[in-house]
Amino acid sequence: DSLGRGLRTCYRYLNQTSRSFAAVIQALDGELRHAVCIFYLVLRALDTIEDDMTISLDVKVPMLHEFHSYLYQPEWKYMESKEKDRQVLEDFPTISMEFRNLSKVYQDVISDVCHKMGVGMAEFLEKKVDSQHEWDEYCHYVAGLVGIGLSRLFSASELEDPIVGQDTELANSMGLFLQKTNIIRDYLEDQMDGREFWPREVWSRYAKKLSDLAKPENIDMAVQCLNELITNALHHVPDVLTYLSRLKNQSVFNFCAIPQVMAIATLAACYNNKQVFRGVVKIRKGQAVTLMMDAKNIQAVKAIMYQYVEEIYQKIPSTDPSSNKTQQVIASIRAMSLPGGTMTSRHHYSPIYLSCAMLLAALSWQYLSTLTKATEEYMQAGEN
């Protein structure tokens, strides 16, 4: 009730376009909450243009390049989108007005990231992801820049130290780990929609066409390709742990940590799993609730990461071409998770504990049900 009309409208759009981010953004402290809300809506508008296949390239490419400038044009809006989230384009004047009401330090971050992301999106509209370097580059544009922008907002709010926003390499890894997890898990869905995000440099060693990996006769090679890409993604985990260890504000920590533990749990479920090429691989809702309840500090997150890389380690086939690399990256994650070589064991939950957890979930129904739905959206591809 204390918010102005424009800001109330922005939060309504936030809830309409993403239950997951609405839940965690609204839990942030102070003015950072508004800055991240507007940041999300601006990128959602940019992403809506990029996703809209009814817009011709000769119109779309200049729009993506110039989108950051629309933030300073009070009347700019786009009324011709056919996408489900088109309201953020049709009422962009409300979003841009609230953007201009933010402190300049927040405006500068959002505008800069929006500009870089628009240029990157335009670049990849007309080319496929071939090399592993291009895979990293694509993930940087659609997710790494989000991590960098958020980190700069955290520091600008003074809830976090300047180093959080200055260390762009770590912030980029936060985004890449999530985006690569999405891309790996969503192989079949993307194939059905005619999209390809797995890097040709990797999959071409296992099949003539990326779609061939879904054929039953190619399942063994498909799983080997899957394992190689998961090994690639795991290389970001040490950066993730370093990044999270620097955070001081509890609301910021929760905002950052929950998607990361969901990602490692998803990769553990996908590793060496033929089901990735046959259907949808998801973590269980009860598992997701437990992760959200646990991931409240860096020690707990390290224990969670340890648990899931151990699950992966136990599943490494001796004949897998990437087995040595997978073991090596898991060793580096172990070293960070267990600084002395000993582990404070993350307990396996007894039926009594689980009953208590369910009781707590019931007592906190509105909050936890929102976050439970969020876990599915966290890992949806395209949720930038």
Side-chain angles (χ1 to χ4, degrees):
D1 291 340
S2 64
L3 302 180
R5 181 178 178 181
L7 207 48
R8 286 202 304 271
T9 299
C10 287
Y11 277 103
R12 186 172 78 250
Y13 291 155
L14 175 67
N15 280 279
Q16 289 172 351
T17 55
S18 175
R19 288 169 303 193
S20 60
F21 283 98
V24 290
I25 288 172
Q26 290 171 145
L28 289 169
D29 292 336
E31 63 182 12
L32 177 63
R33 182 185 308 122
H34 302 328
V36 175
C37 174
I38 300 305
F39 185 42
Y40 174 84
L41 291 177
V42 168
L43 297 189
R44 170 56 61 202
L46 178 65
D47 191 54
T48 300
I49 289 175
E50 194 265 347
D51 284 344
D52 194 332
M53 302 306 292
T54 68
I55 306 175
S56 63
L57 285 182
D58 61 335
V59 173
K60 183 184 292 188
V61 170
M63 284 182 70
L64 293 174
H65 277 277
E66 297 300 322
F67 195 84
H68 68 287
S69 68
Y70 303 153
L71 292 166
Y72 300 97
Q73 298 178 29
E75 304 302 320
W76 187 89
K77 58 186 175 182
Y78 186 74
M79 304 299 293
E80 299 175 33
S81 177
K82 302 297 187 291
E83 291 290 299
K84 63 181 178 67
D85 293 330
R86 59 185 176 274
Q87 73 266 31
V88 296
L89 292 171
E90 294 173 349
D91 193 19
F92 197 74
T94 297
I95 296 170
S96 68
M97 176 184 69
E98 292 303 327
F99 163 82
R100 293 188 298 275
N101 285 339
L102 294 173
S103 299
K104 187 176 184 299
V105 66
Y106 296 133
Q107 290 185 39
D108 290 346
V109 171
I110 295 171
S111 176
D112 181 53
V113 170
C114 185
H115 186 195
K116 291 174 179 174
M117 185 176 290
V119 170
M121 285 178 167
E123 178 183 342
F124 277 91
L125 281 176
E126 300 181 278
K127 75 175 185 180
K128 291 188 176 182
V129 178
D130 285 330
S131 67
Q132 293 185 67
H133 172 76
E134 286 175 333
W135 199 36
D136 282 354
E137 188 179 28
Y138 171 75
C139 292
H140 164 74
Y141 283 131
V142 300
L145 282 171
V146 180
I148 291 169
L150 286 168
S151 300
R152 291 170 63 188
L153 292 178
F154 298 156
S155 293
S157 72
E158 298 185 354
L159 293 176
E160 298 296 345
D161 291 337
I163 187 62
V164 172
Q166 293 166 356
D167 196 334
T168 56
E169 184 175 346
L170 292 188
N172 187 59
S173 281
M174 293 283 286
L176 263 60
F177 186 58
L178 298 183
Q179 188 67 19
K180 287 181 178 182
T181 299
N182 293 342
I183 289 171
I184 290 166
R185 185 207 58 190
D186 291 340
Y187 165 83
L188 195 60
E189 179 184 333
D190 287 338
Q191 281 293 302
M192 293 173 66
D193 292 341
R195 300 189 299 258
E196 294 189 355
F197 298 111
W198 284 25
R200 178 186 297 270
E201 180 184 344
V202 175
W203 64 254
S204 62
R205 293 197 290 270
Y206 302 93
K208 291 183 178 179
K209 295 187 298 183
L210 182 56
S211 59
D212 288 344
L213 295 178
K215 296 178 179 179
E217 63 268 26
N218 297 328
I219 192 62
D220 291 338
M221 297 296 283
V223 169
Q224 290 178 3
C225 182
L226 169 70
N227 291 347
E228 181 173 346
L229 290 181
I230 290 176
T231 300
N232 177 296
L234 288 174
H235 281 88
H236 298 293
V237 173
D239 279 355
V240 168
L241 292 175
T242 301
Y243 180 97
L244 293 174
S245 69
R246 291 175 173 172
L247 300 179
K248 296 180 177 179
N249 179 270
Q250 188 66 55
S251 72
V252 172
F253 186 90
N254 295 346
F255 180 94
C256 295
I258 290 173
Q260 302 294 332
V261 296
M262 298 299 174
I264 192 68
T266 299
L267 289 183
C270 289
Y271 185 82
N272 209 50
N273 189 348
K274 298 176 182 179
Q275 187 62 24
V276 172
F277 303 95
R278 298 169 177 167
V280 180
V281 176
K282 290 185 177 180
I283 59 177
R284 300 182 308 277
K285 286 191 175 183
Q287 179 184 6
V289 171
T290 300
L291 287 171
M292 287 183 287
M293 292 169 64
D294 282 3
K296 297 296 176 63
N297 57 68
I298 187 60
Q299 291 78 20
V301 169
K302 285 182 176 181
I304 292 168
M305 291 289 189
Y306 181 96
Q307 172 185 330
Y308 286 111
V309 297
E310 284 301 302
E311 283 190 17
I312 292 173
Y313 183 82
Q314 295 301 322
K315 293 191 289 186
I316 298 175
S318 59
T319 57
D320 190 271
S322 303
S323 61
N324 288 338
K325 290 182 179 179
T326 310
Q327 291 170 8
Q328 288 170 8
V329 69
I330 287 176
S332 68
I333 297 169
R334 282 173 174 162
M336 290 195 69
S337 301
L338 313 174
T342 58
M343 179 184 182
T344 303
S345 178
R346 182 169 182 261
H347 52 273
H348 292 279
Y349 297 103
S350 67
I352 292 176
Y353 180 89
L354 288 175
S355 297
C356 293
M358 289 303 101
L359 176 61
L360 178 59
L363 293 174
S364 308
W365 172 249
Q366 184 175 4
Y367 177 69
L368 286 178
S369 63
T370 301
L371 289 182
T372 301
K373 293 175 184 175
T375 63
E376 297 180 2
E377 291 190 15
Y378 270 132
M379 306 314 301
Q380 288 297 319
E383 181 85 327
N384 296 329

